[in-house]
């Protein structure tokens, strides 16, 4: 008897499920059909488990429908997502690079202090305690084979424009597997470039114009929509094409820090 009822249940489980839902929830037929579609059911489950509130989700759908396309929202979201990924990755990367720079300098018998700042105009400062000389490094990561421009905070662009002999931009390709951030990987995939002020001149100039308008006492008719903080974009390829590797970075820093 039990086996007979179980067989009936499994044969008719979809219709029984729909009937129960209809009787208890009064859901529309199209909603019920969506719940039976594996792909749509996965989306529904993500919505249920999302940290976003119902009002936020409704607002997002309303915006997409009003714009008659989600492309604009997605493009903005992808830019913010890439910036957040870079930020999160650099949090993990910072201590690793700090350790590798220390090891490289110690390996040639030089004692230098390496401090990871992680904000402001630079990420690292390497100091020679014997003479007080300092070398500054700004670290950026990018996706493998990415052609997206690099983005710099205004303070970083301002510092880079000065073309100081003790400042360099370091670039690291993010591995496909974010967990494989080994010493060997950093040595092979970290590049650096000095004297890069010309790459920033146009973008930083536009930033200064915007600040002049925003800070002016005269009322401006310019309407600017910003979803995040201002950033100065710099093309990745020219910097990569003219960059040098980790061993060269160590040598350049050492020459400067020794005062040679």
């Amino acid at each position: 008897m039990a086996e007979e009822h179980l067989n009936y249940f499994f044969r008719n489980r979809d219709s029984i499920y729909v009937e129960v839902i209809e009787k208890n929830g009064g859901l529309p037929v199209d909603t019920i059909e969506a719940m039976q579609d594996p792909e749509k059911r996965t989306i529904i489950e993500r919505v249920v488990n999302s940290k976003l509130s119902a009002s936020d989700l409704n607002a997002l759908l309303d915006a997409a429908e009003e714009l008659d396309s989600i492309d604009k929202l997605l493009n903005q979201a992808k830019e913010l997502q890439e910036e957040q990924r870079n930020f999160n990755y650099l949090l993990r990367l910072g201590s690793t690079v700090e350790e590798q720079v220390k090891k490289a300098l110690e390996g040639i018998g030089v004692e230098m202090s390496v401090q990871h700042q992680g904000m402001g105009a630079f990420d690292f400062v390497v100091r020679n305690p014997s003479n007080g000389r300092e070398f500054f490094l700004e670290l950026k990561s990018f996706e493998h084979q990415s052609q997206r421009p690099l983005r710099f905070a205004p303070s970083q662009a301002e510092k880079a424009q000065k073309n100081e002999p003790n400042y360099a931009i370091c670039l690291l390709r993010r591995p496909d597997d974010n967990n494989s951030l080994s010493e060997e990987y950093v040595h092979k995939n970290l590049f650096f470039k000095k004297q890069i002020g010309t790459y920033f001149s146009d973008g930083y100039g536009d930033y200064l114009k915007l600040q002049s308008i925003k800070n002016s006492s005269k009322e401006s008719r310019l309407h600017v929509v910003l979803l995040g903080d201002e950033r100065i974009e710099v093309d990745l390829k020219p910097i990569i094409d003219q960059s040098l590797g980790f061993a060269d970075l160590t040598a350049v820093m050492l020459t400067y820090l020794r005062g040679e």
Side-chain angles (χ1 to χ4, degrees):
M1 177 69 72
E3 184 176 352
E4 180 181 345
H5 285 302
L6 283 172
N7 288 335
Y8 173 82
F9 174 80
F10 282 115
R11 285 197 308 271
N12 300 279
R13 61 185 181 276
D14 290 339
S15 60
I16 293 173
Y17 176 73
V18 170
E19 184 177 349
V20 170
I21 291 294
E22 285 181 323
K23 287 182 178 179
N24 291 280
L27 295 176
V29 174
D30 56 351
T31 302
I32 296 171
E33 290 177 348
M35 294 174 70
Q36 294 182 78
D37 181 291
E39 185 176 351
K40 292 179 179 178
R41 188 163 61 244
T42 299
I43 296 173
I44 293 171
E45 289 172 355
R46 289 195 65 183
V47 169
V48 170
N49 296 317
S50 172
K51 295 179 181 179
L52 296 175
S53 66
S55 60
D56 287 339
L57 291 168
N58 277 324
L60 183 61
L61 291 171
D62 288 342
E65 291 173 359
E66 189 171 338
L67 292 171
D68 199 30
S69 171
I70 200 171
D71 291 344
K72 291 182 179 179
L73 291 175
L74 287 178
N75 287 337
Q76 294 285 356
K78 286 177 181 177
E79 291 187 6
L80 292 173
Q81 188 178 36
E82 171 60 19
E83 191 163 330
Q84 186 64 41
R85 283 175 178 170
N86 179 67
F87 178 78
N88 292 339
Y89 186 73
L90 289 182
L91 285 178
R92 295 177 53 237
L93 179 62
S95 59
T96 302
V97 172
E98 178 181 357
E99 187 63 29
Q100 297 312 315
V101 171
K102 282 183 179 178
K103 281 187 177 180
L105 293 172
E106 290 170 355
I108 51 179
V110 179
E111 289 189 10
M112 303 285 180
S113 69
V114 183
Q115 180 181 352
H116 178 211
Q117 179 168 300
M119 62 178 64
F122 53 88
D123 286 313
F124 298 93
V125 56
V126 184
R127 291 188 179 90
N128 183 347
S130 65
N131 59 16
R133 292 174 74 88
E134 297 177 325
F135 200 101
F136 301 95
L137 301 174
E138 172 59 30
L139 178 63
K140 294 292 181 185
S141 76
F142 60 95
E143 287 184 327
H144 196 65
Q145 297 182 340
S146 172
Q147 297 301 316
R148 287 173 176 268
L150 298 168
R151 289 182 173 177
F152 294 81
S155 62
Q156 296 165 354
E158 182 181 11
K159 180 127 181 111
Q161 277 205 123
K162 295 177 181 178
N163 283 328
E164 296 170 330
N166 59 336
Y167 180 86
I169 299 293
C170 295
L171 305 174
L172 185 74
R173 291 189 181 93
R174 296 200 291 267
D176 295 330
D177 176 8
N178 284 341
N179 294 319
S180 60
L181 193 58
S182 63
E183 177 179 342
E184 181 183 10
Y185 186 87
V186 172
H187 280 232
K188 286 184 177 180
N189 293 278
L190 188 141
F191 305 92
F192 86 100
K193 180 77 175 73
K194 291 179 59 183
Q195 305 294 309
I196 56 175
T198 54
Y199 297 116
F200 289 83
S201 56
D202 290 342
Y204 190 67
D206 291 340
Y207 167 76
L208 292 179
K209 291 176 186 176
L210 177 60
Q211 297 310 302
S212 176
I213 294 172
K214 289 169 66 175
N215 297 327
S216 173
S217 58
K218 180 182 178 182
E219 182 180 356
S220 174
R221 303 302 299 170
L222 175 66
H223 175 65
V224 180
V225 178
L226 295 174
L227 294 181
D229 297 328
E230 295 99 335
R231 291 291 182 264
I232 288 80
E233 289 192 338
V234 176
D235 288 335
L236 171 64
K237 190 176 186 303
I239 297 181
I240 285 290
D241 288 347
Q242 300 178 41
S243 63
L244 298 173
F246 186 85
D248 298 298
L249 172 62
T250 303
V252 167
M253 286 194 300
L254 189 60
T255 299
Y256 180 86
L257 291 168
R258 282 176 165 173
E260 298 173 348

